[in-house]
Amino acid sequence: MNFSLSLPVHNIPLWFLVLSLFLPRICMVVAWLQHSMTTYIPPTLGLIPIIVALLVPRILILFWIYQDQGITIWFLLHVIALLIAWGGSGSRVAGRRRRDDL
């Protein structure tokens, strides 16, 4: 297992690492259109990456970062973004529905 506290950039472009923290689906589409993602996407079955990209793009990005760099600070930042996105999304919707019912 490779762990580093530096901010390495191997095959994944820096713009992708930064912007995918906030807009993962859009970054994946832009990178796919630029064909820059083909250098580090591991060969997998054709339908599985498409389904994962649509349902949980952050997990697919985490997989790509781990394949390229191992467990680095970029990986940990994306894990934190994943936890914030999943942890905060449910309570906001439930709170909005409660106020509408009153």
Side-chain angles (χ1 to χ4, degrees), residues 31-99:
W32 180 73
L33 291 173
Q34 287 185 343
H35 299 287
S36 66
M37 301 286 283
T38 58
T39 59
Y40 67 92
I41 293 177
T44 56
L45 298 174
L47 189 59
I48 292 174
I50 294 171
I51 292 171
V52 172
L54 291 174
L55 296 177
V56 281
R58 291 190 187 272
I59 291 179
L60 186 60
I61 291 172
L62 281 173
F63 176 72
W64 288 340
I65 293 172
Y66 182 76
Q67 288 290 318
D68 183 47
Q69 302 171 0
I71 298 177
T72 60
I73 200 76
W74 284 117
F75 184 82
L76 297 176
L77 285 172
H78 281 270
V79 167
I80 292 169
L82 175 105
L83 294 175
I84 289 172
W86 282 1
S89 62
S91 63
R92 184 180 60 179
V93 173
R96 189 177 338 133
R97 286 186 184 154
R98 262 188 257 125
R99 279 185 256 136

